[in-house]
Amino acid sequence: MTAPDAGRGIGNGESSAEQTTTFGFPRDTFRILHVSTGNVCRSPITERLTRHFVQQRLGVLGGGLIVESAGTWGHEGAPMESHAETVLAEYGADASGFKGRELLDEHVIRADLVLTATRDHRAQVISMGHSAGLRTFTLKEFTRLVNAIDPATLPPLEDGLVTRARALVRAAAALRGWLLAPTAEADEVHDPYGAPLTFFRSIGDEIHQALDPVVTALTGVPART
């Protein structure tokens, strides 16, 4: 048996209406939604590091890319944890203006890619419906799948960041059943809530290592050495 063509992925049979809109929203944007529990530790770090790394590679956060976050038990309107702010500052990322959000149906409906901290979060997102299954992954799961995709099979950035990002998600979804995690723990980012700064830093490093190949695949630009 042969693995599916990651370059083709899933969803090439879209109708013309599906190509222009997703659940009624225009398709000239690509939304990444990061999900954790309280939306004050892991998902804020992941959201702001994603923005930071894209800006490092492209010089600007644009091209229709929108990065946001929410929590399955989100503390609506709450600031992120101070240790999370410290970790972001150490990476040079902007933590200002953040407010926690509770995960709502509308967030899932609008998202083109949902990246969760754990498998439980992924299951909760998928249980909300809205055809979320093919676009919802744990962060580390998505990284594993992205690492198996030949960048040459993705549209060039000249075709637009949105076009490239959509192709990346289809390719990852096509590979999901073929590249399983070596252990259940391999797809988890543990909650540092209430932990000392040293643990927050270790979680920040995990998130950094997981995001780096994802942002490289999205933008087609490797991290600066």
Side-chain angles (χ1 to χ4, degrees):
M1 186 177 290
T2 305
D5 185 341
R8 291 197 180 97
I10 296 174
N12 285 342
E14 295 173 329
S15 68
S16 58
E18 288 171 330
Q19 290 171 353
T20 56
T21 63
T22 301
F23 300 105
F25 295 101
R27 294 200 64 177
D28 56 355
T29 60
F30 186 88
R31 286 181 181 268
I32 301 175
L33 174 66
H34 294 291
V35 175
S36 62
T37 303
N39 193 214
V40 291
C41 299
R42 289 168 291 181
S43 51
I45 292 174
T46 315
E47 173 198 321
R48 294 306 175 95
L49 284 183
T50 301
R51 295 184 186 183
H52 180 62
F53 295 148
V54 170
Q55 288 173 323
Q56 280 186 327
R57 286 161 169 77
L58 300 181
V60 64
L61 181 63
L65 182 65
I66 299 169
V67 185
E68 52 194 2
S69 63
T72 55
W73 289 86
H75 303 301
E76 191 72 30
M80 74 174 76
E81 286 289 294
S82 60
H83 287 341
E85 291 186 344
T86 299
V87 168
L88 288 172
E90 290 173 351
Y91 280 101
D94 182 12
S96 64
F98 180 85
K99 292 182 179 181
R101 303 192 305 174
E102 181 179 357
L103 181 66
L104 302 176
D105 287 86
E106 66 187 69
H107 301 144
V108 177
I109 291 170
R110 291 169 66 106
D112 299 287
L113 172 62
V114 184
L115 297 176
T116 70
T118 70
R119 291 167 296 141
D120 282 347
H121 296 133
R122 181 185 64 194
Q124 289 180 64
V125 171
I126 292 173
S127 73
M128 295 172 72
H130 314 302
S131 304
L134 290 177
R135 52 197 168 90
T136 303
F137 311 78
T138 73
L139 171 62
K140 289 185 175 180
E141 174 192 20
F142 193 66
T143 301
R144 183 174 67 253
L145 299 172
V146 163
N147 282 333
I149 296 169
D150 181 356
T153 65
L154 299 173
L157 191 58
E158 289 77 9
D159 288 356
L161 186 60
V162 170
T163 298
R164 184 180 177 93
R166 293 190 190 285
L168 182 66
V169 173
R170 290 195 301 268
L175 287 172
R176 189 182 341 230
W178 297 87
L179 293 174
L180 303 179
T183 66
E185 287 292 301
D187 282 343
E188 305 283 289
V189 176
H190 295 293
D191 192 355
Y193 185 78
L197 178 57
T198 52
F199 190 66
F200 269 82
R201 283 179 173 140
S202 69
I203 293 300
D205 183 61
E206 280 187 42
I207 292 171
H208 169 222
Q209 295 301 321
L211 279 177
D212 185 72
V214 171
V215 175
T216 295
L218 279 172
T219 63
V221 180
R224 298 173 183 172
T225 56

